[in-house]
Amino acid sequence: MPKRWETKDPSDVLDFSLDWTALLDVGDPISGTSAVWTLPSGITKDSQSQTPTVTTAWISGGVAGTDYTVTCQIVTVGLRTMNREAILPVRNL
């Protein structure tokens, strides 16, 4: 089941993160800058960052009343590839 992020207003520019710690083997962190975010039309990834265990995207836009499914793919140092989805609800707040 995808993670459900906190609701954002269409005018907000906020950071949303995925913590991969529970999925990563000891000694096999996220590789370099391998995180690839895929966002549907209507919202925008303004920037991104990552640590060895957490990926973060700064997201803006959206249409009030819409739930967006955002996907992040990572590759670990050991060349494992993982994809996770998160639901981003956009509402007028």
Side-chain angles (χ1 to χ4, degrees):
M1 175 179 288
K3 174 182 178 74
R4 189 169 184 88
W5 281 327
E6 182 178 333
T7 301
K8 75 176 272 320
D9 186 89
S11 64
D12 293 343
V13 180
L14 299 173
D15 55 316
F16 296 92
S17 297
L18 292 173
D19 186 340
W20 301 82
T21 304
L23 301 171
L24 299 171
D25 291 340
V26 173
D28 192 19
I30 299 170
S31 177
T33 56
S34 70
V36 175
W37 292 89
T38 305
L39 284 70
S41 178
I43 57 174
T44 302
K45 179 190 71 159
D46 294 320
S47 64
Q48 71 180 54
S49 63
Q50 72 182 58
T51 70
T53 58
V54 176
T55 54
T56 302
W58 286 81
I59 299 174
S60 62
V63 175
T66 304
D67 290 348
Y68 294 92
T69 301
V70 175
T71 303
C72 184
Q73 179 183 75
I74 60 146
V75 177
T76 69
V77 170
L79 301 179
R80 291 172 177 86
T81 301
M82 296 181 223
N83 291 282
R84 291 298 177 267
E85 292 182 340
I87 306 299
L88 176 56
V90 177
R91 305 290 185 269
N92 288 320
L93 300 176

